[in-house]
Amino acid sequence: MSGIALAVIGGTGVYRLAALADVETREVDTRFGKPSGPIRVGHLLGQKVAFLARHGEGHSVPPHQVNYRANLAALKDIGATRVLALNTVGGITERFGPRVLACPDQIIDYTWGRISTICEEPGSEVLHVDFGEPYTPLLRHKIVAAARVTGVKLVDGGCYGATQGPRLETKAEIARMRRDGCDLVGMTGMPEAGLARELGLDYACLAIVANWAAGCGTGEEITMAEVLANVEAASSGLPELIGELARG
Ligand code: HPA
């Protein structure tokens, strides 16, 4: 299938795009194995959009076990060239409180032991892709513009720190990340962004802040109920934003 204007990867709390119409389900197998679940392809405000739930539609795949390579390769195999990654995150610095939407422009990778390259197949050429700008700048600009056009409030910029999970961080870990320059913390930003670059996909992140990270904000205990409620509240403008992004 071709003509996919945009592929969307949903994170924790975003397991489907309810606004997708005429949905067709694609079960895809790739040279890296199976993605986290079926790809739903449909129309959103007149544009063909593909959706994949990163953790599976039942939220059953933990961050360190997501087959990031298969997810991205599957989207590429069905004809997608642009990927909008929705990432549920914790907020570290002042501007990134719960329910904020942000389009980060940098990443620090604290993950370990994940397959982080496509260059592991026997005989494949080793790639040293440029990753100075980890998110495709043009796609980032289009996200920011789509937010403006649709009246969705969005913070432009920020540094995403990718942790291993699935547990949340200690206060000391978050304090170190703050010193490092991280504004946001999540568990799935890497290796996904690096693999997208290796695969030649345009890729950018729309981060949904679900809670203050450990020791930040009010410093209260983080609950899954809080995370899911804030993701839902922050996501109300996403269908319009995604539809607008798919158009341009
Ligand atoms: N830390 C890491 N990942 C997250 C968080 C957090 O506080 N909230 C949502 N995803």
Side-chain angles (χ1 to χ4, degrees):
M1 181 187 293
S2 61
I4 292 175
L6 184 70
V8 179
I9 300 179
T12 297
V14 186
Y15 308 119
R16 50 196 279 273
L17 274 186
L20 267 194
D22 320 319
V23 178
E24 183 195 317
T25 297
R26 305 286 305 264
E27 300 279 356
V28 185
D29 207 350
T30 78
R31 65 190 199 276
F32 302 113
K34 286 192 193 307
S36 299
I39 300 175
R40 311 286 183 186
V41 182
H43 288 95
L44 184 63
L45 306 177
Q47 303 300 314
K48 194 177 256 186
V49 170
F51 179 84
L52 173 62
R54 184 185 286 112
H55 301 279
E57 292 179 349
H59 198 237
S60 55
V61 189
H64 63 293
Q65 286 179 342
V66 170
N67 190 339
Y68 295 95
R69 299 197 299 184
N71 283 355
L72 291 165
L75 294 172
K76 185 171 175 175
D77 286 352
I78 66 163
T81 60
R82 303 196 300 166
V83 177
L84 173 69
L86 303 179
N87 295 89
T88 300
V89 298
I92 298 176
T93 53
E94 209 179 313
R95 288 190 306 156
F96 300 88
R99 304 193 178 188
V100 163
L101 295 178
C103 187
D105 58 358
Q106 281 297 324
I107 302 176
I108 298 179
D109 187 6
Y110 300 90
T111 67
W112 48 270
R114 302 183 182 188
I115 297 174
S116 56
T117 178
I118 60 168
C119 308
E120 286 189 332
E121 293 172 304
S124 69
E125 187 199 345
V126 177
L127 303 171
H128 295 292
V129 290
D130 184 281
F131 203 49
E133 296 292 341
Y135 301 114
T136 306
L138 184 58
L139 187 55
R140 277 197 71 255
H141 290 143
K142 288 188 172 179
I143 293 169
V144 173
R148 197 178 313 120
V149 167
T150 54
V152 174
K153 233 174 125 201
L154 179 78
V155 178
D156 177 4
C159 180
Y160 178 117
T163 56
Q164 180 70 359
R167 67 164 177 82
L168 296 166
E169 300 71 32
T170 66
K171 292 177 183 174
E173 286 168 338
I174 294 295
R176 179 181 72 154
M177 292 177 75
R178 185 195 290 271
R179 289 194 297 275
D180 285 351
C182 295
D183 298 296
L184 304 164
V185 53
M187 302 174 190
T188 52
M190 287 294 284
E192 196 173 89
L195 291 166
R197 183 63 51 82
E198 285 189 347
L199 286 164
L201 291 163
D202 285 336
Y203 177 96
C205 163
L206 202 166
I208 305 169
V209 184
N211 55 278
W212 282 115
C216 303
T218 55
E220 279 164 33
E221 190 181 325
I222 301 161
T223 66
M224 204 57 195
E226 170 200 4
V227 165
L228 295 178
N230 283 335
V231 170
E232 192 177 341
S235 299
S236 59
L238 285 188
E240 286 73 24
L241 190 158
I242 292 170
E244 176 65 24
L245 179 63
R247 269 181 356 115

